[in-house]
Amino acid sequence: MLAHKTGIQSRPLSLYPSAARNHTRNRRLLCSASASKEDILIRSLSELGEVAVLVADATNLVTDAVRRHKTAPTASAALGRALVGTMLIGAFRKDEEVTQVSFKGTGPLGTVMAIANAKGKVKGRVDNVTADPPLREDGKLNVGEAVGAGVLAVVRSHPMEPKPYTGMVPIVTGEVAEDLANYLVSMVRLVAEDLANYLVDSEQTNSAIGLGVSLNRDCSVRSAGGFLVQILPFCSEETLIILEANLGGLPSVTNMLNSGLSAQDISDKILSGLGAAPDTSALIPTYGPCEEAALKERMIRAVASLGEAEVRDIMATEGKIEVCCEFCNEKYQFQEEEVLSYLR
């Protein structure tokens, strides 16, 4: 049964942002995304409110990430899966809540990290963008070997919470989706003060997750997306049986996207035989946030923290002060007087 496969701690449905339920706006987003092939992230409920399904077509988002970081094919697949998975786990939660997922593996990729907010914005990075081990025997990218063994850490934080919740589990396969699923299972078994506090205002539900990144022959991103299925309280055994059958016969996410199916089509497949509630929540996923003004402010503050003597020494040696954001890969140069003025 699905209940034995995966598990997650999730907020009760009533705590999801009410703004995301604006029916008119969401239908407009769905139509716009369908017409222009924009990325889309939707959240649907089964007719009886027993199952919630999040489905994302994040092809443009992952394409943007690959372009920014200039990743090799295997690194592209790993980063793309991490971005989509983190976005699915973090979306439609409390406003201002941030979810950070880190794969700290022993493979050539090093650490793979992604950070998402509740509004569908996500950014990420890998230590080694050139990591690209030989293909697996089945001809597929060997993401598992690129990630290697290690630890998967998930941190949820909110400015109104006294401290963030952190969960850690061993990396099982390195294939990202399987490890995130294992994390969702293991969360119910972790024993810690943070988890005890977290469970006070959380509901234990069962989940399933699927992620995929498909590349063209020229190594550009053909499609990228994923789904997250959450079993809500009081779900019947009959619903679980139908849902498990639907998931068991489901093609891969990328196969469905490549064949022309939309996020809504995939959601309908998952909820086949269960009906769907009339309201669908929708977001447009984007890479970031790395707004220029805020980014430059953080950068100049970091440079100024070196102190006046160090700043003058860098200018004398390099002739410029250049800082690069590790997430968006944007570079900015600062003049000596600009930094010293901030110091003063």
Side-chain angles (χ1 to χ4, degrees):
M1 298 303 297
L2 180 67
H4 301 306
K5 287 185 176 179
T6 53
I8 187 175
Q9 308 294 334
S10 64
R11 301 288 178 183
L13 186 61
S14 61
L15 293 182
Y16 283 85
S18 59
R21 300 197 183 97
N22 186 303
H23 184 65
T24 303
R25 172 182 175 274
N26 292 331
R27 297 305 296 177
R28 185 167 62 249
L29 284 176
L30 287 169
C31 293
S32 173
S34 176
S36 61
K37 290 297 181 181
E38 287 184 339
D39 286 354
I40 189 75
L41 169 60
I42 65 171
R43 182 177 186 274
S44 305
L45 287 175
S46 62
E47 188 173 17
L48 298 180
E50 297 176 305
V51 180
V53 178
L54 283 77
V55 182
D57 180 347
T59 303
N60 296 326
L61 186 155
V62 175
T63 297
D64 189 14
V66 168
R67 175 190 62 80
R68 289 174 181 274
H69 293 284
K70 299 178 175 60
T71 44
T74 308
S76 297
L79 177 60
R81 293 180 194 178
L83 289 169
V84 177
T86 305
M87 178 179 65
L88 288 170
I89 293 174
F92 298 111
R93 299 183 69 84
K94 282 181 172 180
D95 286 342
E96 300 185 60
E97 181 169 307
V98 174
T99 301
Q100 176 179 305
V101 173
S102 302
F103 289 83
K104 301 177 181 179
T106 57
L109 270 174
T111 296
V112 182
M113 179 187 295
I115 303 174
N117 65 18
K119 299 179 181 178
K121 290 183 178 293
V122 62
K123 57 187 177 183
R125 58 176 293 276
V126 298
D127 281 349
N128 180 12
V129 297
T130 64
D132 196 26
L135 299 175
R136 301 185 330 198
E137 290 184 359
D138 59 5
K140 295 184 178 180
L141 296 172
N142 200 339
V143 175
E145 182 177 330
V147 173
V151 175
L152 164 61
V154 179
V155 180
R156 292 190 187 276
S157 59
H158 190 280
M160 299 302 292
E161 299 290 339
K163 56 182 178 178
Y165 163 73
T166 302
M168 299 179 68
V169 295
I171 293 174
V172 178
T173 68
E175 293 291 334
V176 180
E178 290 88 340
D179 290 296
L180 283 175
N182 179 57
Y183 163 75
L184 299 177
V185 173
S186 300
M187 283 180 66
V188 303
R189 298 196 297 265
L190 294 175
V191 179
E193 180 182 351
D194 288 337
L195 180 58
N197 293 333
Y198 180 71
L199 289 174
V200 170
D201 59 355
S202 299
E203 293 289 334
Q204 180 179 323
T205 65
N206 299 305
S207 299
I209 189 169
L211 306 169
V213 176
S214 172
L215 303 181
N216 293 308
R217 289 186 177 274
D218 63 358
C219 297
S220 61
V221 178
R222 181 181 181 187
S223 62
F227 65 81
L228 175 63
V229 179
Q230 298 173 322
I231 310 304
L232 300 177
F234 312 114
C235 180
S236 68
E237 186 70 17
E238 292 76 13
T239 293
L240 286 176
I241 293 173
I242 294 173
L243 184 60
E244 189 170 62
N246 291 346
L247 292 174
L250 204 65
S252 71
V253 175
T254 50
N255 281 346
M256 289 187 284
L257 292 174
N258 291 341
S259 67
L261 295 185
S262 67
Q264 187 63 62
D265 294 331
I266 296 172
S267 181
D268 291 342
K269 276 183 169 291
I270 295 173
L271 291 175
S272 178
L274 299 175
D279 224 0
T280 297
S281 304
L283 297 170
I284 299 296
T286 55
Y287 191 88
C290 277
E291 290 85 1
E292 182 177 351
L295 185 60
K296 291 183 71 173
E297 171 71 17
R298 293 198 300 271
M299 285 181 170
I300 197 170
R301 187 163 60 243
V303 173
S305 68
L306 297 174
E308 182 173 345
E310 184 69 16
V311 169
R312 292 189 184 278
D313 183 60
I314 294 174
M315 289 300 301
T317 305
E318 305 293 335
K320 62 181 179 180
I321 298 177
E322 185 175 86
V323 184
C324 179
C325 174
E326 63 179 350
F327 288 104
C328 70
N329 219 24
E330 294 287 350
K331 295 180 179 179
Y332 295 97
Q333 292 186 4
F334 300 95
Q335 300 299 317
E336 178 180 359
E337 186 55 38
E338 187 179 4
V339 180
L340 294 180
S341 176
Y342 185 89
L343 263 173
R344 301 187 192 107

